[in-house]
Amino acid sequence: MPKSDYLFTSESVSEGHPDKVCDRISDSIVDAFLEADPHSRVAAETMCTTNFIVLAGEVRGPDTMSHDVYGEIARKAVRDIGYEQHGFHWKDCEIQSFIHSQSSDIAMGVDAAENKDEGAGDQGLMFGYACRETDVLMPAPIHFSHAILKDMAEARHAGKAPGLGPDSKSQVTLRYVDGKPVGATSIVVSTQHAENLDQDEVREVVRPFVLNALPEGWMCDEENFYVNPTGRFVIGGPDGDAGLTGRKIIVDTYGGAAPHGGGAFSGKDPSKVDRSAAYAARYLAKNVVAAGITDKCTIQLAYAIGVSEPLSVYIDTHGFGQVDERRLSGVLRELMNLTPRGIREHLQLNRPIYVRTSAYGHFGRKPEDDGGFSWERLDLVADIKSAF
C-alpha cells in the first residue's frame, strides 16, 4: 500500500543560479539556431565561474553562426538575467567558445534516408508525470517552489524588489494526509541581496512572495520559515559558485516526485529525445490525468540511437487507474506518433521556444500562442475519453 501520511520536499533555483545561467545560455544558442534554420542540430554546453564563460558542443546549421555570435548570445543572456556585479558582469566577462560541427557518425544515425525514418539522437529513457495535486497537474512542492522564485524574479526585473539579487533558491516541505497535500511544515528561501540589508530585512522582503505563492492557510510556523539561514548572501551567482548546463534536472521536472531518466534538456535541439520525448511523456501523462482516467500517471519511453520507434512505452497509474494500462498504452500510441519526427511535428518543437524553459520548470507552465510549452496542452482529453 502507498504511504498516505508523510512529508515531502522539493526545491527550485532561480534564473540567476549558476547552473541556470548556463542553461539559459545554452538554450539561447538553441533558439538562435532554430530561428535561423528550424532543422538545425544543436548540443550546446556552458560552464561559468567568476567573470568567465566557456561554451562547448556540437552543431549543424547556418554558416552565419560563429564563435563571435555565440559570445554575443551568451553576453545578452547574462545581461537579461541581471548580472552587473564585480565578479560577474555581462559587459566584461571573458567568453571562450569551443563549439564545433556535429559528428558525421551521429548525423548518419539520426538523419532520415531513402528507406529509413529519422532516428533518435541518442539512446536513453525518459519519464513523464502528472497528478491532481495542483490545477496544472503538477506535484505541489515543486510547483510552489517555482512560484516563489518566479514572483521574486518578476518583482526584481520590474524594480519592485531592488534589494534582491539574481541568485536564489527555495525549498518547500509539505505535509500529506491521506495522500493529499494540506500545508507547509517548512519553507527555505536563500536569496542574494544588497550588502546594506541584514537577515531580518531580507526575511521581510521575501515573506510576501511566499505567502502569495502558497494557498491560504498553508504557511508554516515562524520557527520553520528559514530565509538565508547562513545569515548573509551578498556574493552569489557564478562568482560564488561555478555553474554547468544540465545540472538541475530534478528542478526542471517534478522535484523528485517522479522518476527521471537522467538526461538534461537545456542546450539540446528537439531531435534529441532526452528533451522531446520527455516533453511527449509529460504531454501524454497530463492528458491521461485530465481525462479522469487516474489521479496519477507515470509514463516511461525508451529509445535506441538511430532507431525511430520507441523500444518500450510503460504506463503506471499508481493504483488509481480505471482502465487497463496495456490498453491505455496502445490507445496513446494510436493518438500520437512517438518517433522523434512524430513528436517534433505533433508538438511543433522546431521553433525558438526554449529560452523560456531554462528556469522555473519545463512543466506545469501555460501553453503560449507562439507554441511555447505546447506539451502542456490538453487537446487529447476528448480522444482519450472516447477511447474508453
Side-chain angles (χ1 to χ4, degrees):
M1 293 289 291
K3 290 182 179 179
S4 59
D5 298 351
Y6 55 91
L7 303 181
F8 194 83
T9 304
S10 295
E11 71 157 348
S12 181
V13 298
S14 72
E15 65 203 58
H17 184 281
D19 296 331
K20 283 290 152 194
V21 172
C22 294
D23 285 346
R24 173 70 167 264
I25 293 170
S26 295
D27 274 335
S28 296
I29 292 172
V30 171
D31 277 0
F33 267 93
L34 293 178
E35 188 167 14
D37 178 358
H39 299 288
S40 295
R41 298 287 167 78
V42 186
E45 307 290 345
T46 305
M47 187 279 285
C48 63
T49 185
T50 302
N51 259 346
F52 192 75
I53 297 171
V54 179
L55 308 175
E58 305 79 44
V59 298
R60 188 177 72 190
D63 294 337
T64 53
M65 305 300 288
S66 67
H67 293 301
D68 288 341
V69 172
Y70 307 143
E72 288 307 307
I73 290 171
R75 212 173 288 283
K76 181 181 183 300
V78 174
R79 183 190 67 194
D80 290 348
I81 292 169
Y83 274 112
E84 296 183 343
Q85 302 170 5
H86 173 71
F88 196 69
H89 198 298
W90 66 271
K91 275 187 180 179
D92 54 21
C93 63
E94 182 180 351
I95 301 174
Q96 293 186 7
S97 173
F98 300 94
I99 295 173
H100 59 82
S101 297
Q102 184 187 53
S103 160
S104 58
D105 289 349
I106 292 177
M108 179 176 63
V110 175
D111 289 347
E114 291 181 2
N115 59 348
K116 170 185 170 297
D117 194 8
E118 178 183 310
D122 201 354
Q123 71 177 45
L125 47 140
M126 302 83 206
F127 286 91
Y129 180 73
C131 63
R132 292 196 174 278
E133 292 180 17
T134 61
D135 58 356
V136 293
L137 305 185
M138 284 287 288
I142 188 68
H143 177 69
F144 297 130
S145 294
H146 287 323
I148 293 168
L149 298 187
K150 194 168 187 293
D151 285 354
M152 288 170 57
E154 289 174 354
R156 176 175 61 84
H157 285 299
K160 297 178 180 178
L164 300 184
D167 191 0
S168 58
K169 304 177 78 170
S170 63
Q171 186 170 288
V172 174
T173 301
L174 298 183
R175 179 182 300 280
Y176 284 71
V177 176
D178 293 331
K180 297 179 181 180
V182 297
T185 60
S186 66
I187 304 287
V188 184
V189 179
S190 296
T191 180
Q192 190 179 14
H193 60 88
E195 192 160 7
N196 63 325
L197 295 180
D198 63 28
Q199 186 179 20
D200 289 339
E201 289 172 317
V202 176
R203 182 188 188 90
E204 295 314 310
V205 171
V206 167
R207 186 187 300 276
F209 296 106
V210 176
L211 293 172
N212 184 60
L214 295 174
E216 187 175 355
W218 279 38
M219 182 62 175
C220 64
D221 59 45
E222 198 66 14
E223 185 180 347
N224 290 294
F225 178 38
Y226 302 96
V227 176
N228 287 3
T230 63
R232 177 180 167 88
F233 189 0
V234 174
I235 300 171
D239 188 29
D241 190 11
L244 291 170
T245 299
R247 201 157 57 173
K248 287 291 178 283
I249 59 176
I250 301 302
V251 172
D252 285 345
T253 52
Y254 307 102
H260 196 296
F265 303 157
S266 290
K268 298 176 182 177
D269 75 82
S271 75
K272 277 70 169 175
V273 285
D274 274 344
R275 181 167 221 159
S276 57
Y279 291 171
R282 160 64 179 175
Y283 172 66
L284 293 176
K286 184 178 182 183
N287 276 268
V288 166
V289 172
I293 285 175
T294 179
D295 288 346
K296 293 183 181 180
C297 183
T298 299
I299 295 179
Q300 184 206 58
L301 305 175
Y303 292 84
I305 189 169
V307 179
S308 299
E309 293 289 340
L311 307 182
S312 64
V313 179
Y314 165 82
I315 298 179
D316 182 3
T317 54
H318 301 272
F320 296 101
Q322 301 174 27
V323 301
D324 181 77
E325 290 169 348
R326 287 173 298 179
R327 186 180 169 211
L328 177 59
S329 175
V331 167
L332 296 182
R333 296 189 75 162
E334 290 176 6
L335 293 178
M336 185 176 185
N337 179 348
L338 291 174
T339 66
R341 183 197 299 275
I343 293 171
R344 287 190 299 103
E345 291 179 351
H346 189 107
L347 297 177
Q348 297 178 291
L349 297 178
N350 283 93
R351 295 188 277 190
I353 55 175
Y354 297 105
V355 166
R356 69 197 75 173
T357 70
S358 62
Y360 315 116
H362 292 245
F363 307 128
R365 310 285 289 272
K366 184 178 179 181
E368 298 177 350
D369 292 341
D370 66 350
F373 302 105
S374 59
W375 48 93
E376 293 295 311
R377 299 189 317 237
L378 292 174
D379 51 0
L380 293 183
V381 169
D383 290 330
I384 293 172
K385 285 182 175 181
S386 67
F388 294 97

